């Protein structure tokens, strides 16, 4: 395993938090972030172990060098943040679309730019896209667009960062994640029915896949779909 800290951007809840919990339970130094430093610190205290919390806003990329200054050697970088805009093209909201696009494409890339010099050859990066890139849901217009953009970013970063590896995970609907579980069974049942495994992807399924992408030293430039085969039906 690579030496150094596991950095989880977007680690205060949902999938990022579960990744942070995994590595903290393994005794690793973990830095998790959210927009509000007080919330991030409180979540890190709840995670325990050697976790600490910091505040940063990926939609304000110019601030990232300063916000990430207190992190030394980085083993793994997980970019799990999202600020969903629930946008539709016929009622398009430019400010929220601009924030999401900046966050997922420019902000994620700037975080890699800032931290890559602190990673050695065994280090790796995992970006979060999502299957909304292929199967949109109502309001996912910009989510679908930026998750598609992650695919291209992975190809470029895997080449530019070499020998550091870069991969992306594209989950389907993660049924027990805060965003989707709040929508309830009416939203989730059709997804389960349309999935060959007849079950929804879980947060622990995603954690297992992220750990695989981060740690397997021959996996590079991969866009991994973790969705139970949802797009096959
Ligand atoms: N959940 C799913 O079913 C699913 C499916 C496919 C793909 N994904 C992808 O998986 C990733 C995690 O999704 P999730 O559902 O677990 O997310 P989530 O529960 O909505 O959590 C989002 C995280 O991003 C942080 N965040 C929000 N805005 C930010 C900003 N401007 N700058 C920095 N951090 C910010 C939040 O922290 P604060 O609120 O503390 O600021 C929080 O930690 C996302 O990239 C999403 O696209 C999720």
């Amino acid at each position: 395993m690579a030496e150094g800290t596991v950095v989880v951007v977007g680690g205060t809840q949902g999938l990022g938090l579960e990744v942070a919990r995994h590595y903290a339970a393994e005794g690793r130094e973990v830095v998790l972030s959210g927009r509000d430093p007080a919330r991030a610190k409180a979540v890190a205290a709840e995670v325990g172990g050697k976790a600490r919390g910091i505040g940063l806003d990926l939609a304000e990329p110019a601030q990232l060098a300063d916000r990430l200054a207190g992190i030394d050697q980085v083993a793994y970088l997980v970019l799990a943040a999202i600020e969903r805009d629930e946008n539709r093209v016929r009622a398009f909201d430019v400010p929220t679309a601009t924030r999401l696009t900046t966050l997922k494409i420019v902000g994620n890339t700037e975080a890699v730019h800032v931290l890559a010099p602190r990673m050695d050859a065994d280090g790796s990066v995992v970006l979060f896209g999502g299957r909304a890139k292929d199967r949109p849901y109502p309001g996912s217009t910009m989510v679908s667009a930026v998750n598609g953009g992650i695919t291209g970013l992975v190809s470029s970063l895997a080449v530019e960062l070499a020998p550091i590896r870069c991969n992306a995970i594209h989950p389907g609907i993660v049924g027990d994640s805060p965003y989707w579980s709040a929508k309830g069974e009416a939203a989730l049942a059709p997804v389960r029915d349309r999935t060959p495994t007849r079950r929804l992807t879980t947060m622990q399924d995603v954690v297992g896949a992220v750990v695989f992408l981060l740690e397997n030293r021959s996996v590079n430039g991969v866009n991994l779909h973790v969705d139970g085969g949802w797009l096959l039906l």
Side-chain angles (χ1 to χ4, degrees):
M1 279 218 272
E3 294 289 318
T5 299
V6 179
V7 179
V8 185
V9 175
T12 56
Q13 68 171 55
L15 303 174
L17 174 56
E18 293 309 310
V19 173
R21 281 198 175 113
H22 169 87
Y23 281 107
E26 289 206 329
R28 301 291 301 240
E29 293 200 4
V30 172
V31 170
L32 63 85
S33 80
R35 286 162 293 188
D36 174 5
R39 182 186 185 208
K41 286 180 173 53
V43 172
E46 181 260 316
V47 166
K50 290 187 263 180
R52 65 188 173 94
I54 61 170
L56 60 82
D57 186 343
L58 277 187
E60 302 285 344
Q63 67 171 224
L64 295 183
D66 182 53
R67 296 292 189 277
L68 295 166
I71 303 171
D72 297 326
Q73 189 178 359
V74 175
Y76 302 128
L77 172 58
V78 178
L79 295 160
I82 189 163
E83 196 175 309
R84 290 180 181 86
D85 64 348
E86 309 236 353
N87 230 324
R88 296 159 199 251
V89 71
R90 292 187 188 280
F92 196 53
D93 184 74
V94 170
T96 57
T98 303
R99 274 191 68 80
L100 175 56
T101 310
T102 304
L103 180 163
K104 268 247 182 171
I105 305 298
V106 183
N108 276 341
T109 307
E110 173 62 3
V112 174
H113 164 243
V114 169
L115 293 177
R118 302 174 216 169
M119 301 176 78
D120 66 22
D122 290 334
S124 74
V125 177
V126 165
L127 295 156
F128 269 76
R131 279 303 233 174
K133 72 185 173 69
D134 308 298
R135 179 164 282 164
Y137 55 83
S140 78
T141 299
M142 295 312 296
V143 174
S144 295
V146 295
N147 286 346
I150 291 294
T151 302
L153 190 54
V154 161
S155 302
S156 182
L157 293 186
V159 173
E160 288 198 47
L161 291 174
I164 296 166
R165 295 176 296 103
C166 182
N167 298 287
I169 182 165
H170 297 271
I173 302 294
V174 182
D176 60 347
S177 66
Y179 180 75
W180 282 102
S181 61
K183 290 183 182 295
E185 189 58 15
L188 298 176
V191 179
R192 190 184 297 110
D193 291 346
R194 201 172 176 180
T195 303
T197 54
R198 298 290 183 258
R199 62 185 285 279
L200 295 167
T201 298
T202 66
M203 296 208 286
Q204 285 311 307
D205 295 337
V206 172
V207 171
V210 170
V211 169
F212 162 71
L213 293 172
L214 287 171
E215 297 185 12
N216 189 301
R217 296 177 66 191
S218 288
V219 177
N220 194 21
V222 166
N223 282 280
L224 183 64
H225 297 155
V226 178
D227 63 359
W230 184 33
L231 268 287
L232 298 173
L233 294 180

